[in-house]
Amino acid sequence: MTTALEFGLDTFGDVTRGADGALATHAQVIRDVVEEAVLADELGLDFIGLGEHHRGDFAISAPEVALAAIAARTTKIKLGSAVTVLSSDDPIRVFQRFATLDAVSNGRAEVILGRGSFTESFPLFGFDLKDYEALFEEKLDLFVSLLPQQPLTWQGNLRPPLREQLVYPPVEHGRLKAWIGVGGSPESVVRAAHYELPLMLAIIGGDPKRFAPYVELYHRAIKQFGRDLKPIGVHSPGYVADTDEQARAELWPDYKTMRDRIGRERGWPPMGRDEFVQEADHGSLYVGSPETVAQKIAATIKALGLSRFQLKYSAGPLPHAKLMRSIELYGREVVPRVRELVAAG
């Protein structure tokens, strides 16, 4: 594991309940996300990531715009997507938007590229799901070809070729940091190694240690390709309160609401309390007091050799005020404790 250890937060902009119990507007949720990111910066957290979705239960469909607003209110925190659905976007436009974000944030932009676990963007933007794999492979190849910021000659099968093309604006210092987000595909792990990109593992269920083979595969592939080892991160859901009992009581109903809504679309049975407890006790749900959450994060970092841990802090309609309290506990108590535990070995 590298010596640098980063801690971040990410959110999809889940539509939350207001003080009156009614669902907040999408506009209010976006404004709340900006405030949550400002708090994260004040707490000294390393990264804030905004996910891209195009559906009613998540407010953020244009992460770069919200991140630019956050950039104007913050000074140190790194700003990125979580993830950008590259398959249904244009790689050149993605590069331009994040290069612009990098400029307005004075070098703090990152992009996490993925295929997306939701597919609503494909019909919305006129893409066929039968091209799911081919779109990502070709668009990733083009995007990575843009990173050196040199005149580009490139040809693929799904768009016209480029001849000695420069793309503007250039990144001011160095190159744009790009990660590959992986939800469980060995092919994506190897792809990250091939392109010499950092690996972000989305672990949203089950024992985090089951992803150890993906870490080992990444290391083997990096070595075989003759590349330099890059950081490995994990994104997982969680919630912090003053006690374990309070955290579970507050999170459970809203987490179940979110999980069952998605489950109905995917043919999953409703989530029972036992499944929730199993995930909290032994799986990839980091819920509890600061000490409980810190112990669990530290164990995952040590088991997988991570350089970054990102807590997906929003869950269904859980209110903004509770999210702010969870973020504060994460930044003030959890992160320092994790650093102590990791340093102790």
Side-chain angles (χ1 to χ4, degrees):
M1 185 175 65
T2 59
T3 55
L5 183 56
E6 295 184 330
F7 294 90
L9 294 167
D10 52 48
T11 179
F12 301 158
D14 306 55
V15 173
T16 55
R17 290 193 313 277
D20 59 357
L23 291 179
T25 65
H26 286 74
Q28 184 59 54
V29 171
I30 292 169
R31 290 190 289 268
D32 288 343
V33 166
V34 173
E35 296 303 321
E36 290 155 11
V38 169
L39 175 59
D41 184 58
E42 292 171 351
L43 293 167
L45 293 173
D46 299 294
F47 177 81
I48 183 74
L50 307 186
E52 172 198 348
H53 292 84
H54 305 271
R55 44 186 291 144
D57 44 352
F58 301 124
I60 297 173
S61 61
E64 307 92 337
V65 179
L67 289 166
I70 293 168
R73 300 273 310 279
T74 57
T75 58
K76 295 181 180 180
I77 196 166
K78 298 173 184 176
L79 313 167
S81 57
V83 301
T84 294
V85 184
L86 187 63
S87 307
S88 56
D89 211 327
D90 183 280
I92 294 175
R93 292 295 287 146
V94 171
F95 181 89
Q96 290 175 322
R97 295 196 299 265
F98 278 91
T100 301
L101 175 64
D102 196 71
V104 299
S105 67
N106 197 24
R108 291 184 281 143
E110 298 184 4
V111 57
I112 303 178
L113 305 166
R115 296 178 298 176
S117 62
F118 293 86
T119 58
E120 72 277 353
S121 63
F122 286 79
L124 181 64
F125 298 120
F127 294 99
D128 195 322
L129 274 173
K130 70 178 177 59
D131 298 323
Y132 183 83
E133 293 289 345
L135 284 166
F136 185 69
E137 290 178 8
E138 181 165 307
K139 291 186 177 189
L140 178 62
D141 185 73
L142 174 54
F143 185 90
V144 173
S145 298
L146 297 168
L147 294 177
Q149 301 181 107
Q150 298 172 352
L152 176 62
T153 296
W154 179 93
Q155 185 165 350
N157 298 315
L158 301 175
R159 59 158 293 153
L162 299 170
R163 296 283 182 264
E164 291 295 307
Q165 181 69 55
L166 283 169
V167 175
Y168 301 98
V171 174
E172 187 174 21
H173 303 293
R175 61 191 267 163
L176 180 67
K177 185 169 185 177
W179 301 65
I180 296 288
V182 177
S185 165
E187 293 79 11
S188 292
V189 173
V190 174
R191 194 177 289 126
H194 170 71
Y195 287 114
E196 202 174 356
L197 295 178
L199 181 69
M200 181 61 64
L201 298 169
I203 308 180
I204 59 174
D207 187 341
K209 290 190 292 295
R210 69 189 177 91
F211 274 72
Y214 292 92
V215 173
E216 295 166 4
L217 174 61
Y218 182 66
H219 287 171
R220 290 199 310 272
I222 281 281
K223 184 176 181 179
Q224 291 174 3
F225 288 126
R227 310 287 196 242
D228 292 330
L229 187 62
K230 298 298 181 181
I232 299 174
V234 158
H235 143 104
S236 287
Y239 179 73
V240 191
D242 293 312
T243 67
D244 290 349
E245 295 77 13
Q246 180 187 353
R248 294 188 182 200
E250 291 180 354
L251 179 63
W252 158 243
D254 295 314
Y255 191 84
K256 175 176 170 58
T257 296
M258 175 192 66
R259 168 64 167 71
D260 288 354
R261 181 174 57 240
I262 295 170
R264 285 191 296 271
E265 300 171 5
R266 301 185 179 186
W268 303 340
M271 186 179 210
R273 178 75 182 192
D274 289 347
E275 181 184 352
F276 174 80
V277 171
Q278 172 67 20
E279 281 297 322
D281 286 344
H282 306 292
S284 297
L285 183 57
Y286 296 77
V287 54
S289 67
E291 180 64 21
T292 295
V293 174
Q295 290 280 352
K296 194 169 185 181
I297 292 174
T300 298
I301 289 171
K302 289 187 280 189
L304 300 180
L306 303 181
S307 296
R308 180 186 288 178
F309 183 89
Q310 294 176 197
L311 189 77
K312 198 269 186 182
Y313 67 88
S314 57
L318 196 64
H320 167 62
K322 291 183 177 179
L323 297 180
M324 292 286 276
R325 176 60 175 161
S326 179
I327 291 169
E328 183 174 9
L329 289 170
Y330 178 71
R332 293 194 189 281
E333 300 188 28
V334 174
V335 168
R337 180 60 175 144
V338 175
R339 292 191 187 278
E340 291 177 359
L341 292 166
V342 173

